[in-house]
Amino acid sequence: MLNTISSEFTLIDQRFARLDGDFVVQRLHTGARKSEGPVYFPAGRYLVWSDIPNERLLRWDETSGAVGVFRENSGHANGNTIDRQGRLVTCEQGARRVTRTEHDGSITVLATHWDGKRLNSPNDVVVRADGTIWFTDPAYGIADDYEGHRAESEIGACHVYRIDPDGTVTAVATDFCRPNGLAFAPDESRLYIVDTRQEPSHIRAFDVLADNTLEGGEIFAECDFGRFDGIRLDDEGRVWAAAWDGVHCFHPDGTLLGKLLLPEPASNLAFGGPRRNDLFITAGGSLYSLKVTFTGARY
């Protein structure tokens, strides 16, 4: 199902004036219960995203526009990313684990526990150039049976973790309420992490040190409409954050530059297309896209 709505870019700072795109936003698909975690595969020219309550991954084909089921029984998958070898890495909220889909379709389990305790419900994930995998672990998938399976937290808190190439899982940030979306700066020297359930919901910025530990963590930006969810960066270091009224754009200095407004609450976003200037957004039960005048970060 393909329909369009008028693009509505709201300028707040003059530096946002040249950041726009198509006159219309395309709705590529609707009918999911809760769309999340878009990730674009340039080699196949397709996008995969999660329909969390329906426990499936969906796939949109760029060449034909067709949408189909990529995987049933997804473990209530939420956030997804692609590693440097072109493999899908997924946070499975219901299964309470982080997995990687190999090129032959088999699934490798990357993390299920920390400090001998079962993870809460991994939420969003990114991969660094050195092969480390970083993910957030709030409690949404164990809070009820809608996005996972109701259970008590064995850890008793919600942390951010790093998986090293040898499989070691390390907590890198332990002072979050509900860590959610996360993304590296283009040079990977900073890591931005959303804390959704703080008041107000905000994004924190950490310096990534040589030993892959984090330093800092000051509040980078606060949400002025609802709550933040997923985030991504463009190649000039601007932070694009999903929020209840659409997508908010922040300058690297933390200034809110402008917004792209949408008719459904945005949950996450991804850059794709041959030039990384197609912006894909999951919002409500839908998947949206538009071609824009800026480009996603190349890591």
Side-chain angles (χ1 to χ4, degrees):
M1 177 181 181
L2 178 63
N3 56 30
T4 60
I5 59 172
S6 297
S7 300
E8 189 174 349
F9 288 92
T10 299
L11 185 147
I12 297 172
D13 183 288
Q14 194 58 39
R15 289 173 289 184
F16 193 70
R18 63 184 181 86
L19 302 178
D20 54 21
D22 287 341
F23 292 111
V24 295
V25 177
Q26 293 184 326
R27 186 158 68 175
L28 302 177
H29 180 75
T30 191
R33 274 202 166 92
K34 186 176 183 182
S35 294
E36 253 282 11
V39 57
Y40 180 82
F41 288 81
R45 295 185 64 186
Y46 64 87
L47 181 131
V48 171
W49 80 101
S50 300
D51 181 2
I52 304 175
N54 284 329
E55 202 176 351
R56 61 182 182 171
L57 291 168
L58 299 173
R59 179 185 185 274
W60 170 78
D61 189 300
E62 183 178 29
T63 61
S64 67
V67 172
V69 176
F70 180 82
R71 179 184 299 152
E72 296 277 13
N73 302 316
S74 67
H76 292 93
N78 188 334
N80 300 284
T81 194
I82 185 172
D83 70 8
R84 298 308 193 275
Q85 289 72 48
R87 298 171 295 188
L88 174 68
V89 180
T90 299
C91 287
E92 298 182 12
Q93 287 193 160
R96 300 170 69 174
R97 64 185 190 173
V98 180
T99 63
R100 182 179 64 228
T101 302
E102 308 297 344
H103 292 302
D104 64 1
S106 62
I107 295 176
T108 300
V109 178
L110 303 176
T112 59
H113 290 72
W114 169 74
D115 195 27
K117 301 172 184 177
R118 194 175 182 188
L119 297 170
N120 295 325
S121 58
N123 184 280
D124 207 355
V125 60
V126 289
V127 178
R128 204 164 185 243
D130 60 4
T132 54
I133 297 169
W134 305 62
F135 69 96
T136 56
D137 186 43
Y140 300 122
I142 59 174
D144 51 50
D145 295 316
Y146 182 72
E147 294 188 25
H149 307 286
R150 185 190 301 273
E152 293 295 324
S153 171
E154 296 183 16
I155 296 171
C158 301
H159 301 328
V160 183
Y161 298 96
R162 183 190 73 241
I163 308 172
D164 291 333
D166 66 2
T168 302
V169 179
T170 302
V172 293
T174 58
D175 60 344
F176 278 78
C177 176
R178 290 292 186 271
N180 201 319
L182 73 171
F184 283 107
D187 64 0
E188 299 187 331
S189 64
R190 303 190 89 192
L191 179 64
Y192 297 89
I193 308 174
V194 171
D195 202 341
T196 297
R197 290 296 176 92
Q198 291 286 14
E199 299 297 343
S201 177
H202 58 238
I203 303 168
R204 295 171 60 187
F206 294 83
D207 295 320
V208 184
L209 305 184
D211 62 355
N212 263 342
T213 58
L214 300 180
E215 184 177 73
E218 295 78 15
I219 293 176
F220 168 76
E222 296 181 340
C223 188
D224 65 3
F225 196 99
R227 299 185 185 278
F228 288 138
D229 198 329
I231 54 175
R232 289 293 180 263
L233 274 77
D234 65 24
D235 62 1
E236 295 191 18
R238 290 176 291 254
V239 178
W240 296 80
W244 288 5
D245 56 347
V247 179
H248 299 188
C249 175
F250 294 91
H251 189 271
D253 65 12
T255 303
L256 177 60
L257 301 179
K259 301 180 180 184
L260 169 62
L261 301 182
L262 293 171
E264 300 180 79
S267 61
N268 218 319
L269 61 149
F271 289 96
R275 297 181 176 86
R276 306 187 316 283
N277 67 333
D278 290 315
L279 181 60
F280 297 96
I281 305 162
T282 50
S286 303
L287 172 69
Y288 295 90
S289 77
L290 75 161
K291 193 172 292 293
V292 293
T293 59
F294 45 93
T295 305
R298 180 189 293 278
Y299 293 102

